[in-house]
Amino acid sequence: MPIPGPVTGGAMRYYDSYRVPAGTIVRLDDYDPNDRGNITNRSEGEALLAEEQLRLVTLQKQLHAENRQSLLVCLQAMDAAGKDGTIRHVLSGLNPQSCRVSAFVEPTTEEQGHDFLWRVHRQAPRHGEIMVFNRSHYEEVLVARVHNLVEEAVWESRYSHINAFEQLLESSGTRVIKIFLNIDKKEQLKRFEKRLDDPLRQWKIAESDYRDRELWDDYRLAYAEALSRCTTETAPWFVVPANHKWFRNLVVARIMRETLDSMDIQMPQATVDLKDIRKRYHRAVKEEKENGH
């Protein structure tokens, strides 16, 4: 299948432009991490992001009120691609009562004693909620594969389990979208340098950063296979260009907004007689005025 083309206008559907169609054999070299669509500068991109954020706030309220569907966003990326920054910029303004973030780090002893999806399913969103996974169940076909943590037969079987799991979520009212933040190796090194020079970011530095960088090609191959085998019509993967942080944020926000728009969220009907409530309200206002309050 053809690779999705770049965005050609500010109002284009990013959902379509950056989605990996089902059946695609992914080669990450075919995706440009420097892509900015037709947006020429950061200020234009940030203005569009602000518009998307306002729309997301409204859609979140509607989703919460409907209380029948939910949205799960899985963020995956190479180190320093900006998962934390994406979450911070895109989700700002959303109500934390119905928006959560869960980060999946190395499994605990208890988690290792269960099947690989056990800890993930426990964090799946409830109805009316937006959930973002900072890393996800895909670590089990990425890190586990690249570092030989399990035998090939084990991680090989996990693709079908993942597809079945996501289908279960979808059939239960949870829309699933998976986003790969795509940076190049040169950009990653620049961001590592900024971490070294910034006291507020130095805590993020880990021994694994440079160890995994040496395995760059292995990780890219593992990502390509995960994207190829686990993008479906109901739970698609998106490859988001992430060398320009502002454009990355805009694309993720718009994909989330377009997904929520497509979910046909229905606001519940009022459970009271609004006509009667209005009469009582106006009566109360009149009484307040008459009493000099």
Side-chain angles (χ1 to χ4, degrees):
M1 288 190 176
I3 298 298
V7 177
T8 57
M12 286 291 292
R13 277 178 53 84
Y14 286 5
Y15 189 101
D16 296 330
S17 299
Y18 295 103
R19 178 175 60 89
V20 178
T24 300
I25 304 301
V26 173
R27 292 181 66 257
L28 288 177
D29 288 345
D30 293 333
Y31 295 82
D32 181 9
N34 280 303
D35 178 27
R36 299 184 301 178
N38 72 331
I39 300 177
T40 58
N41 59 69
R42 178 172 178 168
S43 59
E44 179 186 0
E46 291 181 341
L48 291 170
L49 173 61
E51 294 176 8
E52 298 294 348
Q53 288 172 322
L54 289 174
R55 180 63 181 149
L56 282 173
V57 168
T58 298
L59 286 163
Q60 183 198 21
K61 292 178 181 178
Q62 295 172 343
L63 185 71
H64 179 68
E66 181 197 47
N67 198 32
R68 294 180 60 190
Q69 303 180 83
S70 55
L71 175 64
L72 172 60
V73 181
C74 299
L75 283 181
Q76 292 284 161
M78 301 292 286
D79 292 329
K83 296 183 298 299
D84 292 342
T86 300
I87 291 169
R88 183 171 64 254
H89 287 92
V90 173
L91 302 185
S92 63
L94 296 188
N95 188 337
Q97 287 185 315
S98 57
C99 179
R100 292 188 296 124
V101 177
S102 183
F104 290 94
V105 294
E106 184 176 347
T108 65
T109 301
E110 180 183 12
E111 291 168 345
Q112 289 175 345
H114 293 81
D115 67 86
F116 80 99
L117 289 170
W118 180 76
R119 66 172 182 160
V120 180
H121 205 165
R122 297 174 71 206
Q123 296 297 329
R126 63 180 182 270
H127 289 166
E129 189 173 56
I130 294 174
M131 184 76 194
V132 178
F133 284 174
N134 184 340
R135 302 188 186 274
S136 67
H137 42 295
Y138 283 93
E139 294 293 288
E140 302 300 335
V141 292
L142 297 168
V143 176
R145 169 179 172 167
V146 173
H147 290 282
N148 299 309
L149 301 182
V150 295
E151 296 179 357
E152 180 176 351
V154 175
W155 59 255
E156 175 69 30
S157 69
R158 288 175 174 171
Y159 298 110
S160 59
H161 293 312
I162 287 172
N163 287 336
F165 169 63
E166 292 172 356
Q167 181 58 50
L168 171 64
L169 294 180
E170 179 73 23
S171 64
S172 302
T174 296
R175 184 69 66 87
V176 181
I177 57 176
K178 292 106 61 171
I179 295 174
F180 174 65
L181 304 179
N182 187 30
I183 62 170
D184 60 33
K185 202 172 183 180
K186 182 178 179 181
E187 178 64 22
Q188 184 192 58
L189 193 60
K190 288 170 55 179
R191 295 184 186 184
F192 280 174
E193 181 182 11
K194 289 182 179 179
R195 286 182 180 180
L196 283 170
D197 297 336
D198 185 351
L200 294 178
R201 298 183 185 180
Q202 289 172 355
W203 67 272
K204 289 188 173 185
I205 300 173
E207 289 286 344
S208 61
D209 292 346
Y210 293 92
R211 178 196 66 193
D212 287 348
R213 181 175 168 81
E214 293 175 358
L215 298 170
W216 178 272
D217 291 339
D218 294 332
Y219 266 107
R220 298 276 286 185
L221 182 63
Y223 267 112
E225 185 160 4
L227 270 61
S228 299
R229 297 178 64 171
C230 296
T231 191
T232 64
E233 292 297 329
T234 56
W237 269 103
F238 300 83
V239 179
V240 171
N243 274 8
H244 300 283
K245 296 178 182 180
W246 58 267
F247 189 67
R248 171 202 71 198
N249 298 335
L250 171 61
V251 174
V252 172
R254 184 169 291 179
I255 289 171
M256 288 180 61
R257 190 266 298 168
E258 290 173 347
T259 301
L260 288 165
D261 273 339
S262 73
M263 290 167 62
D264 191 28
I265 302 170
Q266 299 295 316
M267 289 290 290
Q269 297 296 315
T271 58
V272 297
D273 185 338
L274 293 179
K275 186 176 180 179
D276 178 63
I277 292 295
R278 285 193 180 95
K279 288 181 180 179
R280 291 162 63 181
Y281 164 76
H282 290 300
R283 188 183 308 124
V285 171
K286 182 179 179 180
E287 290 174 355
E288 287 290 306
K289 289 181 179 180
E290 290 175 348
N291 292 331
H293 295 296

